[in-house]
Structures are given as structure tokens and as C-alpha cells.
Amino acid sequence: MATATDQVVGFGLVAFSLVLFVYYTIWIIILPFIDSDHGIHQYFLPREYAVIIPVVAGLLLLLFIGECYLCSSNWRFLN
Amino acid sequence: MTKLGQWLWGLALLGSAWAALALGPLGPRVPPPCRQVLLPLPVYLLVAFGCYSLATVGYRLATFNDCEEAAAELQEHIGAARADLRRRGLQF
């Protein structure tokens, strides 16, 4: 058995990615087929954000990874 | 053809199919709701793949079992190696 912390973190990641996937799927794929006066649209941002937010998040992730790589103390040895 | 070549070829095919439908001359002929779904489709697939990766990592982390016998055996090996090296004169 994995430690309790590992299990909490692991299943937390699973739950988080499931929620994210369901929300994003409804946002992108299901909402266009629902009439614009239905109440469900109030829970979702305008559709432009469905593209902008992942792109910005992806860029931030790449920047973060690059910064960790460039600023690591072993860089001179790895270079 | 290498695996990388196959992946790039598949991506190029799907990408050109998407571009032809979403950005190209066939655009206005697709019904409007389908068009609204089609345009963000690459971003959606990327996000879906990211969610799947995150879920897989989380699940494997949560279900990874300790191998107690292997750990005990390893400690035994370490102890034996330490004793052997000490006998041969290496200072710890």
C-alpha cells in the first residue's frame, strides 16, 4: 500500500483532472448545441476564454520548466 | 519510416483535415454549432490529453505498492557490502 499522503495526492489529482475534463468538455463540445437562453450558460465564461486560458497556462508552464532548467545550479555541468 | 515520422505524418494529416474544414474553403458550409465546436478542437484535444496524463500519474502514484520484502533484502545487501568493504580496509 502506498503511504496515506501518496494516496490522498494521487486520488486528488485524479479527481481534479476528471472535474477539469468534464467542465472543459461541456464548455467546448456541448454548449454550442444548447440554446443561448438556457440557464446553464451562466456557469461558463465566454468561449474565447476556452482557448485563451489553456494557451496562456501552457506558455506559463513552458516558461516555468525553462526557468527551472536554466537557473538550476547544475547548469554549468549539464551545458 | 521511424515512429517519429509516423507520428508527424499522422499529425500532419489530421492538422490539414482540420485546417481545410475550419479555416479553408469548406468553412461556411459546415453548420454553425459544428463550426463552433470544430475551431477550438486542437486546443481541446491537447487539454484532454493533459488531463489524461495527470490522471494517470495521480492514479499510479496512489496505487504504487511498497515492496517490503525487496526493501528488507536490499538493506541486508547494503549491510553485507558495508561489512565486506570495512574488512578490506575502506574507512566509512
Side-chain angles (χ1 to χ4, degrees), chain B residues 19-32:
Chain B
L21 275 179
L23 314 170
L26 289 176
R29 295 185 51 184
V30 183

Side-chain angles (χ1 to χ4, degrees), chain A residues 1-2 7 10 14 17 24-25 47, chain B residues 36 43-44 51 55 58 62 64 66:
Chain A
M1 290 296 291
Q7 284 187 321
V14 173
S17 55
Y24 200 67
T25 302
R47 274 178 76 77
Chain B
Q36 278 199 322
V43 181
Y44 172 76
C51 284
F64 192 80
D66 289 344

Side-chain angles (χ1 to χ4, degrees), chain B residues 17-69:
Chain B
W18 173 82
L21 275 179
L23 314 170
L26 289 176
R29 295 185 51 184
V30 183
C34 294
R35 191 121 206 276
Q36 278 199 322
V37 170
L38 193 62
L39 279 176
L41 204 60
V43 181
Y44 172 76
L45 290 175
L46 216 60
V47 171
F49 172 70
C51 284
Y52 166 73
S53 308
L54 198 64
T56 306
V57 166
Y59 180 70
R60 298 275 172 88
L61 174 67
T63 55
F64 192 80
N65 294 321
D66 289 344
C67 316
E68 271 146 26
E69 296 171 358

